[in-house]
Amino acid sequence: MERLHDACGVVGIYAPHGKASLDVRSYITLALTALQHRGQESAGMAVYDDEGQIVYRVGMGKVREVFTDSGTSLPSTYAGIGHVRYSTTGSSCVENAGPFVVGDRAGQYESLAIAHNGDLVNGAMLRNAFPEDSFRSTTDSEVIALMLHHSEGKTFNERLADTLQHLRGSFSLVILAQNKLYATRDPWGMRPLCIGKLGDSWIVASESCALDRTGAEFVRKVEPGELVTIDEDGIHSEMLFELPRHSLCVFEYIYFSDATSRINNRYTYEVREALGRELAHEHPIEADLVVPVPDSSIPAALGYAEASGIPYSQGIIKNRYSDRSFIKPDQRLRQLEVDLKFNFVRTKIEGKRLIIVDDSIVRGNTLKRLASALRNYGAKEIHLRISSPPLRHPCYFGIDIPRDKELIAAGRTVQEVADYMGVDSLGYLSLPGLGRAINAAHIDETVDIDPRQVDDPRALKMLHQEFCYGCMEMQGWPFDPQVESQHGPRRVPVIPRGVLS
């Protein structure tokens, strides 16, 4: 209901000269449209022209609003990157829209373009190493671009490794430089990134749903700490950093990623159904119907209904035009507290004992209004079931989870939260249940895990080894974000004037 937001989505395409006939610009537009759920504030694209110069275009709005021409006003190209953004660092304005391009007017290196999904906990420290007038935006993405432009190393790969060692936080990057396409992830693997094949061409994207939309074949994920280089000779890989524990944001499965995406050998839809089944085992209740809060909670509600044997029903219908401008509700509607995002099916609500399934509770205000609306439609009982553990801590890695005091679950018992929202009962999925459900959805046939046979310590161990869940329990962070926020570069680069293109 109160939707969390990820930082953004990225895509890169490389089509070898003379081997591929696809229009890179149109395919980037198509892939960005598939990633629109990851960012709806701005969109941008950067491509190489015939002379090897980077040309780019960014704008505020959704992909099809910015690229009404599918990007064809940009030069025809063999390589390009794209970006959709939701602001977590920096305000929502066109200056903060990616990709970011730094140029060669100072004569140090040739230009490069970068698109970034994630958030750096030490972004402010890194920014302080540059003269104040070096930036045209307030984003971490531009900090990374400038660091890379002025890093040390004989080769671009050496310069990239020199830059990445200073970054603390989440980053999945696609980069245009030296007429090549580069892709890399942070060593913890907090944000997803995958590789696909389009005939003789290559595509890198935040999620596999972008590959599906473009007709590409899924090849594999980019490993945490891996650097992938794509050029005329194909694809090349090297590991820059390796850590014993990986920390993919667990909310990629719970909410952020498209339901059709494949991440870490699991399909998101299957994980969400498994979350619902586990939730039914942990919090059973007698009721007439299982009803999802659309749309992301539908798979979890189906899983709950399957495991509980209680019929599934879509008693709450999402208004498909809810993102358009509406006339301000009159007083009667305000008193009914009906959210204009939803329509209600009275015959599925009136006199019914309802299990309402949602993926998370942030502040609780919107679910409180929903519960009130359901009461007004005659619901006999409302039992709220949440397919994730309580959110008790802010996120430092690119998700807009607010401060502790704004989170309804921070410092409150489950019963206190239920009383505030006006529901008859409330059940959150447990941390062990989260671990059991995720691992039950593994698509590797050699991994056969019956969630009922996995005890709590083993489930927690599996969760901890692969995911960041610090918003639920602080031990879930891959490192202490407040300590690492003070990590700066060893040297202060001298930035020539006029670097920005």
Side-chain angles (χ1 to χ4, degrees):
M1 284 291 293
E2 295 170 300
R3 293 310 179 205
L4 299 172
H5 296 277
D6 189 18
C8 46
V10 299
V11 63
I13 294 179
Y14 190 97
H17 292 85
K19 294 183 180 180
S21 58
L22 62 83
D23 187 331
V24 170
R25 304 160 300 178
S26 296
Y27 274 79
I28 289 177
T29 303
L30 198 60
L32 288 177
T33 304
L35 297 173
Q36 188 75 85
H37 58 283
R38 300 189 72 89
Q40 300 179 17
E41 292 187 354
S42 67
M45 186 188 310
V47 302
Y48 277 118
D49 65 14
D50 290 339
E51 297 179 354
Q53 299 299 310
I54 294 177
V55 182
Y56 68 104
R57 188 168 117 209
V58 300
M60 301 302 294
K62 297 180 181 179
V63 176
R64 291 296 181 178
E65 295 168 347
V66 176
F67 296 106
T68 56
D69 58 356
S70 295
T72 53
S73 62
L74 291 168
S76 180
T77 187
Y78 62 92
I81 60 175
H83 185 265
V84 289
R85 182 173 190 265
Y86 172 82
S87 60
T88 53
T89 60
S91 59
S92 178
C93 58
V94 71
E95 288 79 11
N96 287 335
F100 284 90
V101 179
V102 291
D104 62 348
R105 289 206 294 261
Q108 185 175 4
Y109 293 115
E110 63 182 24
S111 60
L112 61 90
I114 185 170
H116 169 215
N117 174 26
D119 218 28
L120 303 181
V121 301
N122 66 334
M125 286 292 294
L126 298 175
R127 177 177 289 269
N128 289 339
F130 293 84
E132 194 171 318
D133 60 354
S134 300
F135 300 95
R136 61 181 171 89
S137 79
T138 57
T139 67
D140 290 341
S141 309
E142 190 180 15
V143 175
I144 298 172
L146 283 173
M147 288 183 67
L148 181 56
H149 193 75
H150 297 279
S151 58
E152 295 178 341
K154 295 180 180 179
T155 67
F156 181 81
N157 290 35
E158 290 176 353
R159 290 162 50 204
L160 188 55
D162 178 62
T163 297
L164 298 183
Q165 67 177 322
H166 299 302
L167 308 185
R168 297 293 182 273
S170 62
F171 56 88
S172 284
L173 307 174
V174 289
I175 304 168
L176 289 181
Q178 297 188 326
N179 300 307
K180 300 176 183 180
L181 172 63
Y182 297 86
T184 189
R185 290 174 76 192
D186 65 75
W188 302 277
M190 287 190 238
R191 294 282 160 257
L193 196 63
C194 63
I195 304 169
K197 198 78 160 59
L198 265 167
D200 291 318
S201 302
W202 294 92
I203 178 171
V204 181
S206 292
E207 292 182 41
S208 65
C209 64
L211 311 187
D212 298 335
R213 184 69 63 88
T214 58
E217 176 188 358
F218 178 88
V219 175
R220 64 176 179 86
K221 67 178 180 180
V222 177
E223 295 291 340
E226 180 185 13
L227 172 61
V228 172
T229 305
I230 303 174
D231 57 20
E232 289 296 304
D233 297 322
I235 188 167
H236 319 276
S237 168
E238 61 179 299
M239 293 301 300
L240 300 180
F241 310 99
E242 292 187 74
L243 296 176
R245 179 196 170 196
H246 293 161
S247 300
L248 176 72
C249 173
V250 75
F251 259 92
E252 291 288 350
Y253 283 135
I254 296 169
Y255 173 69
F256 293 130
S257 292
D258 187 86
T260 65
S261 286
R262 171 179 174 175
I263 302 175
N264 283 16
N265 253 1
R266 302 177 187 91
Y267 284 102
T268 303
Y269 190 96
E270 300 296 331
V271 171
R272 291 175 186 168
E273 277 195 330
L275 294 174
R277 288 192 290 270
E278 187 67 25
L279 189 59
H281 288 299
E282 291 189 352
H283 297 287
I285 192 78
E286 291 187 3
D288 300 310
L289 294 174
V290 177
V291 178
V293 177
D295 285 322
S296 61
S297 300
I298 290 175
L302 285 167
Y304 192 106
E306 175 191 343
S308 65
I310 299 172
Y312 169 89
S313 176
Q314 287 189 296
I316 305 170
I317 307 298
K318 186 174 181 179
N319 187 331
R320 68 178 62 188
Y321 303 110
S322 63
D323 60 346
R324 296 188 178 184
S325 298
F326 284 86
I327 298 172
K328 189 175 182 179
D330 60 27
Q331 183 62 28
R332 185 176 64 85
L333 281 179
R334 285 197 294 271
Q335 289 174 347
L336 289 174
E337 299 182 26
V338 178
D339 193 318
L340 288 177
K341 292 188 295 184
F342 300 106
N343 297 322
F344 299 90
V345 183
R346 185 179 293 275
T347 57
K348 301 296 184 181
I349 298 171
E350 193 170 30
K352 300 291 196 299
R353 299 169 299 169
L354 303 177
I355 295 172
I356 304 297
V357 178
D358 203 0
D359 48 58
S360 59
I361 307 177
V362 187
R363 296 175 179 87
N365 297 328
T366 311
L367 274 174
K368 179 181 176 71
R369 292 198 301 271
L370 178 66
S372 178
L374 291 171
R375 296 286 189 198
N376 286 324
Y377 273 80
K380 183 178 181 181
E381 296 177 11
I382 301 173
H383 302 282
L384 185 58
R385 295 295 180 264
I386 305 300
S387 59
S388 64
L391 298 179
R392 294 193 171 97
H393 309 286
C395 176
Y396 295 87
F397 306 114
I399 308 305
D400 67 340
I401 296 177
R403 295 173 296 177
D404 302 54
K405 66 180 182 180
E406 299 178 63
L407 295 167
I408 188 67
R412 295 180 179 86
T413 66
V414 173
Q415 187 58 52
E416 286 172 337
V417 176
D419 291 342
Y420 171 79
M421 289 189 293
V423 297
D424 296 283
S425 72
L426 169 63
Y428 289 96
L429 187 65
S430 68
L431 275 174
L434 181 62
R436 274 190 289 267
I438 291 174
N439 281 279
H442 206 291
I443 63 175
D444 187 344
E445 295 181 355
T446 64
V447 179
D448 186 14
I449 300 176
D450 180 354
R452 306 271 61 81
Q453 302 301 315
V454 179
D455 59 21
D456 285 2
R458 185 184 173 199
L460 285 171
K461 183 178 180 180
M462 291 189 296
L463 182 70
H464 188 76
Q465 190 63 25
E466 191 177 347
F467 296 97
C468 175
Y469 54 98
C471 56
M472 303 162 185
E473 296 287 345
M474 286 190 289
Q475 67 184 24
W477 285 326
F479 52 80
D480 187 327
Q482 297 188 6
V483 171
E484 291 299 328
S485 68
Q486 301 305 307
H487 181 93
R490 297 192 189 97
R491 59 187 178 81
V492 178
V494 177
I495 308 300
R497 295 281 181 176
V499 166
L500 296 177
S501 60

